[in-house]
Amino acid sequence: MKIRKVVFPVGGLGTRFHPITRAIPKEMLGIIDKPLIHYAFEEAIAGGIEQFIFVTRQGKNSIEDYFDNILADYENKEGKTKYCFCYVRQNEPKGLGHAVLCAKDIINNEPFAVMCADDFIYHKKSCIGEMIKQYNGTNMVAVMTVPHKDVSKYGILDIKNEDGNIVNAKSVDEKPSVESAKSNLAIVGRYVLSADIFKILENLEPGVKGEIQLTDALLKMIPSVGLAGFKFEGIRFDCGSKSGLLAAILHVAAEDKELSPIIEHFYKTKL
Ligand code: G1P
């Protein structure tokens, strides 16, 4: 089945970027001339997505304004676009699982993608597009290996077996302790999910941090649909952190003909 819809959870508070995120959504923080959410949008388009569901909240209106403004760039000669934007509100920050649940009525019983814009993936191929190509009804998450000391920041897979770039999981644990983690294979913010997940999310008890965790719903669905980790190509930057955002900006600038001399000059003169 074609995957046409993506959920962008953009209702987070972005406290790690205070004070700037008191006025600007973290998804609108820029990598040079484009906000993070625009990069996610382009990755989704390259993956064949046509409908964009933003799970948003108070103070995030600039995201709507931004997409109103850039949409003209995606129109054909007749001024028509195949892209469609919907906005639903998540009035309480109750976690990623809760954000996805807010999109239930718009998804309407078809498999769909979820993308977290602060996980910026610098890629030649669209990560979500590659996942969509391989999606076969098993819930799928993008995965990467992380230093063992960092496992408690992520959802971590317990590996059953591996087949090429796919890792089948026998279990998954949200933010395990370093001692209890079953591997260092971590989920990054790209998902292709069966709409059956909504039934699970509706009845899920709060997990880590008192939030409704998407990972907990994925765990509950392993016996019915399974869970596949997709080892993507490309580099992921955690743009939910200052160091990750800075690294992403430097990386994009270093790849840009006009900007790379500035980076080079900076290294030579300041470091
Ligand atoms: C979320 C997910 C987690 C995943 C991470 C990737 O956590 O719950 O499973 O590994 O994104 O960035 P958060 O970073 O929102 O705490």
Side-chain angles (χ1 to χ4, degrees):
M1 189 182 211
K2 191 167 155 41
I3 313 282
R4 299 181 305 120
K5 300 181 181 179
V6 65
V7 176
F8 286 142
V10 295
L13 299 172
T15 45
R16 281 194 276 172
F17 280 100
H18 276 171
I20 191 168
T21 45
R22 290 194 189 278
I24 297 169
K26 73 172 170 182
E27 298 78 12
M28 289 301 291
L29 296 177
I31 297 183
I32 318 290
D33 56 355
K34 271 192 278 185
L36 286 168
I37 191 71
H38 193 150
Y39 285 95
F41 173 67
E42 286 184 336
E43 184 186 324
I45 285 180
I49 298 284
E50 293 174 359
Q51 188 167 355
F52 302 85
I53 301 145
F54 295 78
V55 181
T56 181
R57 73 186 298 276
Q58 193 190 15
K60 298 268 183 165
N61 296 354
S62 58
I63 297 176
E64 297 175 46
D65 295 344
Y66 182 77
F67 281 96
D68 285 352
N69 280 311
I70 62 152
L71 197 56
D73 299 343
Y74 296 88
E75 286 171 352
N76 65 15
K77 281 186 214 127
E78 286 82 45
K80 295 210 168 109
T81 178
K82 57 181 171 180
Y83 305 124
C84 161
F85 297 79
C86 307
Y87 299 89
V88 290
R89 305 292 267 194
Q90 182 190 23
N91 286 322
E92 292 165 283
K94 288 204 223 154
L96 182 57
H98 178 255
V100 171
L101 182 58
C102 292
K104 174 179 170 237
D105 291 341
I106 305 177
I107 297 295
N108 196 17
N109 211 22
E110 57 184 278
F112 64 101
V114 177
M115 296 174 69
C116 301
D118 55 4
D119 272 331
F120 170 63
I121 300 180
Y122 191 87
H123 51 79
K124 294 225 159 46
K125 292 178 186 165
S126 159
C127 173
I128 200 72
E130 294 302 298
M131 290 170 71
I132 288 170
K133 274 188 210 156
Q134 295 209 23
Y135 177 76
N136 61 5
T138 293
N139 282 335
M140 187 179 273
V141 292
V143 290
M144 63 182 266
T145 52
V146 296
H148 205 80
K149 65 175 178 40
D150 291 338
V151 289
S152 359
K153 294 184 192 162
Y154 298 95
I156 297 290
L157 268 56
D158 187 359
I159 301 167
K160 183 161 78 180
N161 56 50
E162 298 195 30
D163 182 8
N165 56 8
I166 296 291
V167 180
N168 291 302
K170 57 180 168 206
S171 180
V172 64
D173 196 1
E174 180 65 15
K175 299 188 173 54
S177 65
V178 169
E179 297 73 37
S180 67
K182 295 288 193 307
S183 77
N184 61 344
L185 197 63
I187 299 177
V188 304
R190 301 288 182 277
Y191 304 78
V192 184
L193 303 172
S194 153
D196 289 349
I197 201 155
F198 294 121
K199 279 183 243 139
I200 309 287
L201 286 170
E202 271 167 344
N203 296 304
L204 207 57
E205 294 295 322
V208 174
K209 295 201 275 179
E211 295 177 348
I212 306 293
Q213 296 292 349
L214 192 56
T215 305
D216 293 347
L218 295 172
L219 173 65
K220 281 201 186 287
M221 290 177 78
I222 289 178
S224 54
V225 297
L227 177 64
F230 173 75
K231 291 190 192 164
F232 58 95
E233 288 173 30
I235 313 172
R236 172 260 187 181
F237 296 91
D238 172 13
C239 293
S241 74
K242 290 179 205 172
S243 56
L245 181 67
L246 177 62
I249 293 169
L250 290 172
H251 189 86
V252 172
E255 298 284 322
D256 182 290
K257 258 195 254 144
E258 271 175 43
L259 301 176
S260 59
I262 295 166
I263 305 272
E264 219 176 301
H265 178 74
F266 183 83
Y267 273 104
K268 280 190 191 141
T269 57
K270 295 274 185 207
L271 299 177

